[in-house]
Each structure stands twice: as C-alpha cells, then as structure tokens.
Short mmCIF file of all heavy atoms in Angstrom, two decimals:
data_model
loop_
_atom_site.label_atom_id
_atom_site.label_comp_id
_atom_site.label_asym_id
_atom_site.label_seq_id
_atom_site.Cartn_x
_atom_site.Cartn_y
_atom_site.Cartn_z
N LEU A 16 119.49 133.18 108.35
CA LEU A 16 119.60 131.97 107.80
C LEU A 16 120.27 132.00 106.45
O LEU A 16 121.13 131.16 106.09
CB LEU A 16 118.24 131.22 107.71
CG LEU A 16 118.13 129.90 107.04
CD1 LEU A 16 118.78 128.85 107.89
CD2 LEU A 16 116.68 129.55 106.85
N ALA A 17 119.79 133.00 105.56
CA ALA A 17 120.34 133.10 104.33
C ALA A 17 121.85 133.50 104.30
O ALA A 17 122.62 132.99 103.41
CB ALA A 17 119.60 134.18 103.56
N GLN A 18 122.23 134.23 105.23
CA GLN A 18 123.63 134.73 105.26
C GLN A 18 124.56 133.71 105.91
O GLN A 18 125.74 133.61 105.48
CB GLN A 18 123.69 136.07 106.03
CG GLN A 18 122.99 137.19 105.33
CD GLN A 18 122.71 138.37 106.24
OE1 GLN A 18 123.16 138.34 107.41
NE2 GLN A 18 122.05 139.33 105.70
N GLU A 19 124.12 132.98 106.99
CA GLU A 19 125.01 132.21 107.70
C GLU A 19 124.77 130.67 107.64
O GLU A 19 125.58 129.83 107.98
CB GLU A 19 124.94 132.60 109.23
CG GLU A 19 125.22 134.00 109.45
CD GLU A 19 125.00 134.41 110.91
OE1 GLU A 19 124.76 133.52 111.74
OE2 GLU A 19 125.06 135.63 111.23
N GLY A 20 123.67 130.26 107.04
CA GLY A 20 123.28 128.84 107.01
C GLY A 20 122.96 128.30 108.42
O GLY A 20 122.39 129.02 109.20
N ILE A 21 123.36 127.05 108.67
CA ILE A 21 123.07 126.46 110.02
C ILE A 21 124.48 125.97 110.59
O ILE A 21 125.34 125.76 109.92
CB ILE A 21 122.03 125.33 109.95
CG1 ILE A 21 122.59 124.15 109.14
CG2 ILE A 21 120.77 125.87 109.34
CD1 ILE A 21 121.71 122.96 109.08
N THR A 22 124.48 125.76 111.90
CA THR A 22 125.66 125.33 112.52
C THR A 22 125.76 123.79 112.47
O THR A 22 124.81 123.07 112.16
CB THR A 22 125.65 125.71 114.05
OG1 THR A 22 124.62 124.92 114.75
CG2 THR A 22 125.39 127.16 114.27
N ALA A 23 127.01 123.32 112.72
CA ALA A 23 127.20 121.87 112.67
C ALA A 23 126.40 121.18 113.70
O ALA A 23 125.88 120.04 113.47
CB ALA A 23 128.73 121.62 112.88
N ASP A 24 126.22 121.83 114.88
CA ASP A 24 125.37 121.22 115.98
C ASP A 24 124.01 121.12 115.59
O ASP A 24 123.29 120.07 115.78
CB ASP A 24 125.56 121.99 117.29
CG ASP A 24 124.76 121.44 118.40
OD1 ASP A 24 125.00 120.26 118.80
OD2 ASP A 24 123.86 122.15 118.89
N GLU A 25 123.43 122.17 114.90
CA GLU A 25 122.03 122.19 114.42
C GLU A 25 121.89 121.05 113.44
O GLU A 25 120.78 120.36 113.42
CB GLU A 25 121.67 123.52 113.84
CG GLU A 25 121.48 124.62 114.85
CD GLU A 25 121.17 125.96 114.23
OE1 GLU A 25 121.81 126.24 113.16
OE2 GLU A 25 120.24 126.71 114.71
N LEU A 26 122.86 120.89 112.55
CA LEU A 26 122.78 119.90 111.48
C LEU A 26 122.56 118.48 112.08
O LEU A 26 121.72 117.71 111.73
CB LEU A 26 123.92 120.05 110.50
CG LEU A 26 123.98 118.95 109.39
CD1 LEU A 26 122.72 119.08 108.50
CD2 LEU A 26 125.28 119.17 108.62
N GLU A 27 123.51 118.21 113.00
CA GLU A 27 123.45 116.84 113.62
C GLU A 27 122.24 116.51 114.41
O GLU A 27 121.64 115.49 114.35
CB GLU A 27 124.79 116.69 114.49
CG GLU A 27 126.07 116.67 113.69
CD GLU A 27 125.94 115.65 112.50
OE1 GLU A 27 125.62 114.49 112.65
OE2 GLU A 27 126.28 116.11 111.38
N ARG A 28 121.83 117.59 115.26
CA ARG A 28 120.58 117.34 116.02
C ARG A 28 119.42 117.16 115.19
O ARG A 28 118.48 116.41 115.41
CB ARG A 28 120.44 118.60 116.92
CG ARG A 28 121.36 118.49 118.15
CD ARG A 28 120.95 119.59 119.18
NE ARG A 28 121.20 120.97 118.75
CZ ARG A 28 120.28 121.76 118.42
NH1 ARG A 28 119.01 121.44 118.46
NH2 ARG A 28 120.56 123.05 118.07
N THR A 29 119.35 117.90 114.06
CA THR A 29 118.22 117.86 113.16
C THR A 29 118.12 116.52 112.41
O THR A 29 117.12 115.94 112.20
CB THR A 29 118.21 119.05 112.20
OG1 THR A 29 118.18 120.30 112.96
CG2 THR A 29 117.02 119.03 111.27
N LYS A 30 119.30 116.07 112.03
CA LYS A 30 119.37 114.73 111.36
C LYS A 30 118.78 113.68 112.26
O LYS A 30 117.91 112.83 111.80
CB LYS A 30 120.76 114.43 111.00
CG LYS A 30 121.33 115.12 109.75
CD LYS A 30 122.78 114.70 109.47
CE LYS A 30 123.31 115.39 108.26
NZ LYS A 30 124.68 114.84 107.93
N VAL A 31 119.20 113.63 113.50
CA VAL A 31 118.64 112.63 114.46
C VAL A 31 117.10 112.85 114.61
O VAL A 31 116.38 111.82 114.60
CB VAL A 31 119.33 112.85 115.84
CG1 VAL A 31 118.66 111.96 116.93
CG2 VAL A 31 120.84 112.54 115.76
N GLN A 32 116.67 114.11 114.69
CA GLN A 32 115.26 114.34 114.89
C GLN A 32 114.48 113.89 113.69
O GLN A 32 113.42 113.15 113.83
CB GLN A 32 114.97 115.81 115.08
CG GLN A 32 113.57 116.31 115.18
CD GLN A 32 112.91 115.86 116.46
OE1 GLN A 32 113.52 115.55 117.47
NE2 GLN A 32 111.54 115.76 116.44
N LEU A 33 114.88 114.23 112.46
CA LEU A 33 114.19 113.78 111.23
C LEU A 33 114.13 112.30 111.07
O LEU A 33 113.16 111.77 110.61
CB LEU A 33 114.76 114.51 110.04
CG LEU A 33 114.56 116.00 109.89
CD1 LEU A 33 115.40 116.61 108.78
CD2 LEU A 33 113.09 116.34 109.75
N LYS A 34 115.30 111.68 111.33
CA LYS A 34 115.38 110.24 111.10
C LYS A 34 114.41 109.51 112.15
O LYS A 34 113.73 108.52 111.83
CB LYS A 34 116.80 109.74 111.32
CG LYS A 34 117.73 110.07 110.09
CD LYS A 34 119.05 109.42 110.23
CE LYS A 34 119.89 110.01 111.32
NZ LYS A 34 121.19 109.37 111.39
N SER A 35 114.42 109.98 113.34
CA SER A 35 113.52 109.52 114.37
C SER A 35 111.99 109.61 113.91
O SER A 35 111.25 108.71 114.04
CB SER A 35 113.70 110.10 115.72
OG SER A 35 115.06 109.91 116.17
N GLU A 36 111.71 110.82 113.44
CA GLU A 36 110.28 111.11 113.07
C GLU A 36 109.90 110.11 111.87
O GLU A 36 108.85 109.61 111.84
CB GLU A 36 110.19 112.48 112.64
CG GLU A 36 110.25 113.48 113.79
CD GLU A 36 110.18 114.92 113.35
OE1 GLU A 36 110.11 115.19 112.05
OE2 GLU A 36 110.20 115.85 114.15
N HIS A 37 110.90 109.99 110.95
CA HIS A 37 110.58 109.16 109.85
C HIS A 37 110.43 107.70 110.17
O HIS A 37 109.51 107.04 109.67
CB HIS A 37 111.72 109.26 108.75
CG HIS A 37 111.43 108.68 107.48
ND1 HIS A 37 110.54 109.26 106.59
CD2 HIS A 37 111.75 107.51 106.92
CE1 HIS A 37 110.35 108.43 105.55
NE2 HIS A 37 111.11 107.43 105.73
N VAL A 38 111.26 107.26 111.01
CA VAL A 38 111.06 105.79 111.42
C VAL A 38 109.78 105.64 112.19
O VAL A 38 109.08 104.66 111.92
CB VAL A 38 112.26 105.43 112.32
CG1 VAL A 38 112.04 104.05 113.01
CG2 VAL A 38 113.53 105.30 111.53
N MET A 39 109.42 106.58 113.09
CA MET A 39 108.13 106.40 113.84
C MET A 39 107.01 106.51 112.90
O MET A 39 106.00 105.68 113.02
CB MET A 39 108.08 107.46 114.96
CG MET A 39 109.00 107.18 116.11
SD MET A 39 108.75 108.30 117.43
CE MET A 39 109.35 109.88 116.85
N HIS A 40 106.99 107.40 111.92
CA HIS A 40 105.88 107.49 110.99
C HIS A 40 105.80 106.31 110.12
O HIS A 40 104.71 105.79 109.79
CB HIS A 40 106.05 108.78 110.11
CG HIS A 40 105.86 110.13 110.81
ND1 HIS A 40 106.24 111.26 110.27
CD2 HIS A 40 105.29 110.34 111.97
CE1 HIS A 40 106.00 112.24 111.11
NE2 HIS A 40 105.39 111.70 112.14
N GLY A 41 106.97 105.68 109.82
CA GLY A 41 107.00 104.53 109.03
C GLY A 41 106.42 103.28 109.61
O GLY A 41 106.10 102.24 108.96
N GLU A 42 106.23 103.34 111.01
CA GLU A 42 105.63 102.17 111.62
C GLU A 42 104.07 102.14 111.44
O GLU A 42 103.52 101.07 111.70
CB GLU A 42 105.92 102.33 113.18
CG GLU A 42 107.40 102.14 113.52
CD GLU A 42 107.68 102.33 114.99
OE1 GLU A 42 106.75 102.78 115.68
OE2 GLU A 42 108.84 101.94 115.44
N GLY A 43 103.55 103.20 110.98
CA GLY A 43 102.10 103.15 110.70
C GLY A 43 101.87 102.81 109.19
O GLY A 43 102.50 103.46 108.32
N SER A 44 100.94 101.99 108.94
CA SER A 44 100.67 101.57 107.52
C SER A 44 100.12 102.71 106.72
O SER A 44 100.52 102.86 105.54
CB SER A 44 99.62 100.39 107.53
OG SER A 44 100.11 99.27 108.12
N ALA A 45 99.30 103.57 107.29
CA ALA A 45 98.71 104.68 106.55
C ALA A 45 99.83 105.64 106.13
O ALA A 45 99.86 106.15 104.99
CB ALA A 45 97.67 105.43 107.45
N SER A 46 100.75 106.00 107.03
CA SER A 46 101.85 106.87 106.75
C SER A 46 102.76 106.29 105.62
O SER A 46 103.24 106.99 104.78
CB SER A 46 102.69 107.18 107.92
OG SER A 46 101.97 107.85 108.90
N ARG A 47 103.01 105.00 105.75
CA ARG A 47 103.84 104.23 104.79
C ARG A 47 103.20 104.31 103.42
O ARG A 47 103.83 104.48 102.36
CB ARG A 47 104.15 102.86 105.25
CG ARG A 47 105.24 102.15 104.43
CD ARG A 47 106.58 102.77 104.58
NE ARG A 47 107.51 102.38 103.51
CZ ARG A 47 108.20 103.24 102.82
NH1 ARG A 47 108.15 104.48 103.02
NH2 ARG A 47 109.07 102.71 101.88
N MET A 48 101.85 104.04 103.42
CA MET A 48 101.14 104.03 102.14
C MET A 48 101.26 105.42 101.51
O MET A 48 101.47 105.55 100.27
CB MET A 48 99.70 103.73 102.44
CG MET A 48 98.82 103.68 101.28
SD MET A 48 97.02 103.51 101.66
CE MET A 48 96.72 105.01 102.56
N SER A 49 101.03 106.49 102.31
CA SER A 49 101.14 107.86 101.74
C SER A 49 102.53 108.11 101.18
O SER A 49 102.63 108.76 100.12
CB SER A 49 100.84 108.86 102.79
OG SER A 49 99.48 108.70 103.27
#
C-alpha cells in the first residue's frame, strides 16, 4: 500500500461504498446526531 497506493478501480468502488454507507447511516437520527 505504501509503495503503490490504490488502483483507479479501487478508488471508484470505495467512493461508491463510502457514500452509500454514509447516506444509510444518515437516515438514522442517532447517527446524524453523533
């Protein structure tokens, strides 16, 4: 990881994953409050 970083494919897939997780967590009042 330190030497090569991440691939373009990993970057795009991870962005989709993180945004999806964030939106779903944001639907809960407790998560949004935190």
Side-chain angles (χ1 to χ4, degrees):
L16 178 67
Q18 294 164 3
E19 302 175 8
I21 66 176
T22 67
D24 181 60
E25 285 177 321
L26 178 59
E27 293 309 310
R28 284 191 289 108
T29 301
K30 284 182 178 182
V31 172
Q32 176 71 20
L33 288 174
K34 287 187 293 183
S35 299
E36 290 176 359
H37 189 74
V38 169
M39 286 189 289
H40 289 165
E42 292 178 350
S44 296
S46 296
R47 189 69 194 131
M48 179 187 66
S49 297

